[in-house]
Amino acid sequence: MSSRTRSRIRTQKVPAGITTVRIPRQRGRRSAQPFVVVVSERRSLASEVAAGLALMVWDYRRQLAPLALGVLALPLTALLHWWAWWSGLILAPLAAAPAAWLAFVLLRRPAGRSVLLWRLGLTLGATSVLTWLAMAAAFGPLAGPLLTLWLITAIAAQVAWLVIRRTDGRRIHTEA
């Protein structure tokens, strides 16, 4: 075997547990370097668990939407607090927006008891979320009872989301 056909990386050290596959260089290009592909023989248990959790979260991504938004809100408010703590003062009036919406809707579109309860529930949920957002931006998301309030709100939103989606699905299937 001549030096032109033999790979020049034969003396390279490879870590234990790694399989190295060498693809020889192409015949027409003398200056091209050979490709080296390193393939792990076995994945670790931690990577298997992480891959399984990632696949499970991906499969149920629509069901976990409120939880994902809540988890995303925590570091974003921490960043907002670090960057501009006074932004909580700007966000505080937004907490009154759901109550203003409710008053507007009650005057313009009176409804029955079930619709009124839905509107009240939505107003209460949106007010609590916007109040938490303003307070977390002003004081930090881990200050005082804000983390507990975040946890309660995230769990309530997730449970309500799952219940609403389940009843909507049943209603759609029974009508068809």
Side-chain angles (χ1 to χ4, degrees), residues 30 44 47 64 74 84 88-89 93 96 100 104 115 121 132 144 151 164 169:
R30 293 183 188 260
S44 68
S47 67
L64 297 173
L74 205 60
L89 298 173
F104 178 77
V115 174
W132 180 87
L151 184 64
I164 290 168

Side-chain angles (χ1 to χ4, degrees), residues 14-157:
V14 178
I18 302 293
T19 303
T20 304
V21 179
R22 290 190 178 87
I23 302 171
R25 62 183 164 195
Q26 301 300 315
R27 293 192 185 268
R29 303 175 69 196
R30 293 183 188 260
S31 64
Q33 296 294 321
F35 293 97
V36 177
V37 179
V38 179
V39 181
S40 177
E41 287 183 7
R42 257 192 309 171
R43 290 173 32 176
S44 68
L45 182 60
S47 67
E48 289 285 338
V49 169
L53 283 174
L55 285 174
M56 188 172 66
V57 167
W58 181 255
D59 287 343
Y60 295 103
R61 65 188 179 273
R62 288 189 182 171
Q63 287 87 352
L64 297 173
L67 188 62
L69 287 174
V71 168
L72 182 66
L74 205 60
L76 286 179
T77 54
L79 183 66
L80 191 60
H81 170 70
W82 173 77
W83 188 41
W85 64 268
W86 45 266
S87 61
L89 298 173
I90 296 172
L91 292 172
L94 284 179
W101 171 82
L102 181 65
F104 178 77
V105 168
L106 287 177
L107 291 175
R108 295 287 180 164
R109 296 180 181 253
R113 183 176 178 203
S114 65
V115 174
L116 180 64
L117 289 176
W118 272 104
R119 289 176 181 171
L120 286 173
L122 286 174
T123 302
L124 181 66
T127 302
S128 67
V129 166
L130 291 172
T131 303
W132 180 87
L133 183 70
M135 292 178 67
F139 303 113
L142 303 178
L146 287 179
L147 188 62
T148 306
L149 183 63
W150 171 82
L151 184 64
I152 291 170
T153 306
I155 290 172

